[in-house]
Amino acid sequence: KSLPEESHLANGDNGKMASSLDKVNDAMTLMPQEPFHKGQNLNNGMQTIDKDAFYVNQSEIEAHQVNLQNLCRICGGSFKNDPCKRSHPVHGPVDDEMQALLRKKERKATSWPDLLNKVFKIDVREDMDTIHPTIFCHNCWSVIQRKFSNVPCEVYFPRKGTMEWHPHSTSCDVCGTSSHGIKRKKQDPSPQGGKRLRIIAERARKLMHARSQKQVNSKSIMKKITNCKKIHLSTKMLTVDYPVDFVKSISCQICEHILADPVETTCKHLFCRLCILKCLKIIGSYCPSCRYPCFPTDLVNPVRSFLSILNTLAVRCPVKDCHEEVTLGKYSHHLSSHKEKKE
């Protein structure tokens, strides 16, 4: 080809290349705009989702706290099951009834955290309102009362151990069971003994029941014989709540009152002089406690150390409108002063 034709073809190719490059540049300028707008939309969507999730979590936590106020801190029981709706604060001073009982037992606990730590071995001082309830039920209060009193009662703790509390989660036991309390885990049934062991246990139970019934009947008969309610002091008049075994050691084996003019038998049992003499006269010459042969001439005074302990015991005066506490040794003198005032 000639030179003019070649230069014309080269110019044509350059024009095509330039036009194609312009199209590419236009496309490149237009392309980044769409992804930028899409990214902004995605970020805005994520922010709204996070806000919604935050509000949902916040509302769930608030509902969780409301449900916690319907449950006992110690046993996890629901207050909706108690018709009286009785509850006690976990943090705070002890109520007057429990304070009087502790004073009688010579204890010095003044706040509920101290008592809960002593009875249930839990420390509630580090509790968080979002995880732990702030009140406990009256049943657990009765368990504490039973711990510090010798009065028998049928109150029982509904769990083997205290309740363990955890933060709110998707599988939260508190939010699902707040109406009826938190359920205990199912325990494997204990293997029972054979038929022969059950029969032996049943016979032993019946025999023990029959023996205890006989003892109760004989005691009631002896109490009717002595009839010393108006003469002797009841053990309930003691100002201090002593252990059961100590109270038994200072009370008569017949009338179960505080020993008055105590005497000791040859079998080392203690009775009021008036009570044992009446029983020996009506029932026969044997000890009412162990059936050992006993005669009025066998009765002796207990050792002096025992009598000194007995006379130092403090009792409340049973006379109406007299709340004075006197020792047992000075009780007869105190009682005679009331008689002189009446006269």
Side-chain angles (χ1 to χ4, degrees):
K1 291 180 182 179
S2 61
L3 287 171
E5 287 178 1
E6 288 178 1
S7 63
H8 178 74
L9 288 170
N11 290 330
D13 293 335
N14 290 332
K16 287 179 182 177
M17 288 290 289
S19 63
S20 64
L21 284 170
D22 291 336
K23 287 180 182 178
V24 170
N25 289 331
D26 293 337
M28 289 294 288
T29 54
L30 291 172
M31 283 294 288
Q33 291 178 2
E34 289 182 4
F36 177 72
H37 290 298
K38 283 181 183 178
Q40 275 189 342
N41 293 332
L42 284 171
N43 289 332
N44 292 333
M46 289 295 289
Q47 286 178 358
T48 54
I49 289 167
D50 289 341
K51 285 181 182 178
D52 293 340
F54 174 76
Y55 289 130
V56 169
N57 289 335
Q58 193 68 22
S59 62
E60 282 183 0
I61 289 168
E62 288 174 1
H64 179 76
Q65 285 182 328
V66 172
N67 291 332
L68 283 175
Q69 298 311 311
N70 295 323
L71 299 175
C72 172
R73 166 66 178 87
I74 301 164
C75 67
S78 176
F79 293 109
K80 294 178 182 179
N81 298 331
D82 186 6
C84 301
K85 307 293 182 186
R86 295 168 294 183
S87 62
H88 306 273
V90 170
H91 305 281
V94 178
D95 58 76
D96 295 337
E97 188 177 350
M98 189 66 71
Q99 192 67 259
L101 179 63
L102 291 170
R103 197 178 294 115
K104 198 174 181 182
K105 293 289 289 183
E106 299 178 345
R107 300 295 178 94
K108 292 184 179 180
T110 56
S111 62
W112 283 120
D114 294 336
L115 275 182
L116 295 175
N117 194 13
K118 284 181 181 178
V119 178
F120 299 106
K121 308 299 180 188
I122 53 172
D123 188 10
V124 297
R125 291 184 180 88
E126 298 179 358
D127 282 5
M128 297 174 66
D129 293 343
T130 54
I131 300 174
H132 305 90
T134 56
I135 49 180
F136 63 97
C137 64
H138 191 71
N139 189 62
C140 294
W141 182 92
S142 303
V143 172
I144 300 170
Q145 187 190 34
R146 185 183 63 180
K147 179 81 174 177
F148 293 103
S149 69
N150 296 327
V151 181
C153 61
E154 295 181 356
V155 178
Y156 66 96
F157 190 62
R159 300 177 66 90
K160 280 192 173 182
T162 54
M163 186 67 196
E164 292 183 4
W165 302 95
H166 303 285
H168 178 67
S169 61
T170 53
S171 59
C172 182
D173 292 333
V174 172
C175 298
T177 57
S178 61
S179 60
H180 53 270
I182 296 175
K183 292 182 179 179
R184 286 178 281 175
K185 292 181 179 179
K186 290 183 179 180
Q187 298 175 356
D188 297 329
S190 58
Q192 296 181 350
K195 187 177 180 181
R196 186 179 177 185
L197 291 174
R198 286 200 297 272
I199 292 168
I200 292 168
E202 186 68 21
R203 284 179 182 174
R205 190 183 63 80
K206 287 180 179 178
L207 187 62
M208 290 295 291
H209 179 72
R211 284 180 181 174
S212 62
Q213 202 68 28
K214 283 181 182 179
Q215 288 177 356
V216 168
N217 292 336
S218 63
K219 277 189 176 182
S220 61
I221 290 166
M222 285 189 289
K223 282 181 182 178
K224 287 179 181 178
I225 291 169
T226 55
N227 193 20
C228 59
K229 269 187 182 180
K230 296 179 181 179
I231 306 169
H232 298 158
L233 279 172
S234 170
T235 53
K236 293 178 181 178
M237 304 307 294
L238 292 166
T239 56
V240 178
D241 192 5
Y242 293 107
V244 177
D245 294 334
F246 179 77
V247 174
K248 283 182 180 179
S249 67
I250 61 164
S251 58
C252 177
Q253 299 289 315
I254 297 171
C255 65
E256 296 180 348
H257 295 146
I258 300 172
L259 287 164
D261 190 12
V263 290
E264 187 179 345
T265 60
T266 50
C267 52
K268 301 295 181 183
H269 288 119
L270 293 169
F271 304 95
C272 302
R273 190 182 293 274
L274 185 65
C275 297
I276 187 67
L277 288 175
K278 280 184 178 180
C279 284
L280 292 177
K281 188 177 180 180
I282 296 170
I283 295 174
S285 299
Y286 57 86
C287 175
S289 293
C290 63
R291 306 288 176 175
Y292 189 80
C294 180
F295 300 93
T297 52
D298 298 332
L299 302 176
V300 294
N301 293 326
V303 292
R304 289 181 183 178
S305 57
F306 176 80
L307 292 174
S308 64
I309 292 169
L310 188 67
N311 290 328
T312 53
L313 295 176
V315 293
R316 287 189 300 273
C317 181
V319 178
K320 193 176 180 181
D321 299 330
C322 179
H323 304 288
E324 194 173 343
E325 296 180 1
V326 293
T327 58
L328 202 60
K330 296 178 181 179
Y331 172 72
S332 57
H333 177 72
H334 178 77
L335 200 63
S336 63
S337 66
H338 282 296
K339 289 179 182 178
E340 288 175 4
K341 286 178 183 178
K342 282 184 180 180
E343 289 173 0

